[in-house]
Amino acid sequence: MTAVFVFALRILATICLYAFLGWTMYTLWQELRLNSQFHQQRRIQQITIIQNDQEPIAFSLNEILIGRDPSNNLALPDDTVSGRHARLSYHHNQWWIEDLNSTNGTFLNNERISSPTIIVSGEYLRVGKVQMELLIEENRGRF
């Protein structure tokens, strides 16, 4: 009788172990699914660049290269602008500006930047002699 009882306890322990493993896998799967949905719904804040004599240009990219080279996202045909002058990048839910070792420098609100700097909507950016205003859309919702 004790052998049957021990066998029954072993079967019960095995069932409990598999039930626990199944519950754990289901919980992990749910968490991964929710995390995936969160990242799919998160969007980049649109940034609009306004130059004095041109139409505003809106971007929804992770990275915007500014320079004289036509392959840049924002090509500025001005001799005071380097081929690859500056980079606007979106990470950590903020827009950043970075000078790419340009000859004439990158200025944010008339202050030269030497390291990546956070941008706030309404600030003025100057690359070479080209001045522009940066407008960042407000993030609506919880993302």
Side-chain angles (χ1 to χ4, degrees), residues 101-129:
N101 297 320
S102 62
T103 304
N104 294 320
T106 302
F107 296 81
L108 188 63
N109 297 325
N110 291 323
E111 290 185 30
R112 189 175 188 137
I113 61 168
S114 57
S115 62
T117 306
I118 296 174
I119 300 171
V120 178
S121 186
E123 291 189 310
Y124 290 92
L125 176 68
R126 183 165 50 96
V127 291
K129 290 185 180 177

Side-chain angles (χ1 to χ4, degrees), residues 15-91:
I15 291 171
C16 287
L17 178 64
Y18 279 112
F20 175 75
L21 288 174
W23 174 76
T24 303
M25 296 303 282
Y26 177 75
T27 303
L28 288 172
W29 178 76
Q30 287 285 76
E31 185 67 28
L32 286 173
R33 189 173 60 91
L34 288 174
N35 200 9
S36 172
Q37 287 175 349
F38 171 76
H39 286 292
Q40 286 175 352
Q41 292 175 353
R42 195 171 102 191
R43 8 176 248 118
I44 298 171
Q45 289 178 318
Q46 182 176 344
I47 188 166
T48 303
I49 300 173
I50 303 171
Q51 293 181 40
N52 293 336
D53 57 346
Q54 295 185 4
E55 289 290 317
I57 303 171
F59 292 96
S60 294
L61 304 171
N62 282 337
E63 182 177 273
I64 302 164
L65 292 173
I66 301 172
R68 193 175 60 237
D69 189 341
S71 67
N72 290 315
N73 302 103
L74 182 60
L76 303 172
D78 188 284
D79 291 337
T80 61
V81 178
S82 298
R84 292 213 181 236
H85 197 102
R87 175 187 301 128
L88 290 166
S89 57
Y90 186 78
H91 53 89

